[in-house]
Amino acid sequence: MENTTVTSTQLVDSGKFVPPLMQRRASPEFFTAFNTLPAFCRVHAVARPSSDSEINIEVWLPSTAWNRRYLGVGNGAFGGSINYYRLGESLHSGYATSSTDTGHRGRSSDSTWSVNHPGKQTDFDYRAIHETAQAAKALIQAFYDSAPARSYFSGCSNGGRQGLMEAERYPTDYDGIMAGAPATHFGFKTFISGDFAAFQKRDGKIIIYHGGNDRPEANVDFVSNVRRRMGDSTAASFLQLYVFPGMGHCGSGDEPNDFGQWLRPGDTPQNSLFSALEEWVEKGVQPNGVIATKFAIDGDPRSAVVKTRRICPYPRTAQRNRLGGDSAAANYVCP
């Protein structure tokens, strides 16, 4: 692989993976059941696309029951570490998956580094995500003797920004991108212009989501600008935005805030935006809203359902179908 060297490979038996000590504390929504993971091949690689870069990459390849999809996962905050929570979640759902430290280890909470090196930070981010996608696809081909049928990217906050940068700069890396709360105010320029023409022409799809209590205005304006520049019909053919009332940053809040941003086996396009994105990419079925759920314990579908709400793609809003009461999502439709 150009610019990239595999430094270790390991066959991890079913239920035997123990994650390293992670810098970021797990919130209730994060996947932590690592002892339930199936057997997989764990590959560590280092990419050096420039003389001053050292990008650490992990690629996890399920030994059996691969769903023939590749899923790259993004970083929160300023990156700086492998996202083991997302790797575990993706592998558990059957994906070959990858993560990167974006080329600067141990900087997850070090805002000073990013503020003082804005250009370098952004360059590391988008080069790292691209190099990781290239390495993962090469390893998938080698391991399974087959390329992935489809490739996806999912991330929130800085990870959402990474996804949009991928769509702009490397439009052939991914077929579908789910970008949560794309960061636009992290102390460095985002360098996201909204030029998705090449991504749209190759039939790529993007879903952006944002919490209503998380200052969504910047991304509402961003999507509106894309629609004005490309035309409503063209933009709608590949790009959707969902704003979730009462939701915080990437999740949380007292209102329905669980809609497929956390992968779970058995998700459907009706309750999971990620499943809806897959159906859009693979079957051409454009999403027409999603049912968000508020669980008694955030992120725990085993807990009681407190309430549900139907959320429509912006700028549409849900309307009563006159079949039931005011509270249940099933009694609303996206016009």
Side-chain angles (χ1 to χ4, degrees):
M1 297 179 290
E2 187 178 3
N3 305 324
T4 304
T5 302
V6 171
T7 58
S8 70
T9 61
Q10 176 189 12
L11 180 61
V12 181
D13 289 335
S14 177
K16 298 299 184 182
F17 178 72
V18 178
L21 182 65
M22 287 176 270
Q23 297 173 359
R24 187 179 181 187
R25 180 179 61 83
S27 69
E29 299 93 343
F30 288 4
F31 178 89
T32 56
F34 295 103
N35 62 343
T36 67
L37 291 179
F40 66 99
C41 179
R42 180 187 181 190
V43 182
H44 180 264
V46 177
R48 294 184 175 88
S50 61
S51 60
D52 62 345
S53 62
E54 183 176 328
I55 299 167
N56 285 274
I57 297 167
E58 282 209 26
V59 180
W60 290 11
L61 306 162
S63 298
T64 59
W66 177 41
N67 65 13
R68 302 201 68 243
R69 299 180 179 102
Y70 159 55
L71 175 57
V73 300
N75 303 83
F78 294 105
S81 59
I82 302 293
N83 194 338
Y84 289 103
Y85 301 120
R86 287 294 197 181
L87 286 176
E89 172 189 86
S90 303
L91 185 81
H92 190 252
S93 292
Y95 297 86
T97 183
S98 69
S99 178
T100 174
D101 67 358
T102 67
H104 56 109
R105 294 186 298 281
R107 300 288 184 173
S108 295
S109 59
D110 187 353
S111 59
T112 303
W113 190 88
S114 291
V115 169
N116 291 339
H117 302 79
K120 182 64 70 176
Q121 170 66 48
T122 300
D123 181 64
F124 276 162
D125 263 13
Y126 75 78
R127 285 302 300 271
I129 300 299
H130 170 64
E131 295 292 339
T132 299
Q134 295 303 298
K137 288 182 178 182
L139 290 163
I140 288 169
Q141 177 67 50
F143 190 70
Y144 299 111
D145 196 26
S146 173
R150 294 291 185 177
S151 297
Y152 297 92
F153 182 88
S154 180
C156 193
S157 191
N158 190 32
R161 184 179 68 91
Q162 291 168 344
L164 296 186
M165 289 197 301
E166 269 289 290
E168 280 194 1
R169 289 164 174 76
Y170 303 102
T172 62
D173 280 354
Y174 293 102
D175 303 300
I177 291 171
M178 186 154 153
T184 58
H185 50 82
F186 264 39
F188 48 75
K189 295 179 181 179
T190 62
F191 299 103
I192 301 172
S193 68
D195 181 7
F196 299 128
F199 187 76
Q200 181 268 330
K201 286 179 180 178
R202 63 173 296 269
D203 210 24
K205 309 297 183 187
I206 301 173
I207 291 180
I208 299 174
Y209 65 87
H210 210 124
N213 286 357
D214 187 36
R215 296 186 176 183
E217 294 81 10
N219 281 311
V220 171
D221 290 343
F222 174 79
V223 170
S224 297
N225 289 335
V226 173
R227 292 170 66 94
R228 281 193 293 270
R229 183 166 56 251
M230 301 186 71
D232 282 345
S233 60
T234 299
S237 71
F238 79 98
L239 174 65
Q240 288 189 339
L241 167 68
Y242 291 80
V243 178
F244 291 84
M247 190 179 87
H249 190 58
C250 300
S252 74
D254 294 330
E255 297 300 317
N257 54 49
D258 197 297
F259 47 86
Q261 71 272 51
W262 321 109
L263 296 185
R264 302 186 186 102
D267 281 346
T268 70
Q270 287 69 46
N271 69 354
S272 166
L273 274 184
F274 190 81
S275 292
L277 175 65
E278 289 184 329
E279 189 173 61
W280 197 9
V281 168
E282 298 171 17
K283 300 180 180 179
V285 179
Q286 188 176 47
N288 187 35
V290 67
I291 295 176
T293 302
K294 170 65 179 176
F295 293 112
I297 301 174
D298 278 344
D300 186 356
R302 298 167 298 181
S303 63
V305 173
V306 176
K307 65 177 81 170
T308 60
R309 172 180 282 159
R310 186 175 297 279
I311 305 296
C312 304
Y314 176 85
R316 295 152 60 194
T317 55
Q319 296 181 3
R320 283 278 306 279
N321 60 14
R322 303 184 182 279
L323 297 179
D326 293 338
S327 59
N331 300 321
Y332 291 78
V333 295
C334 292

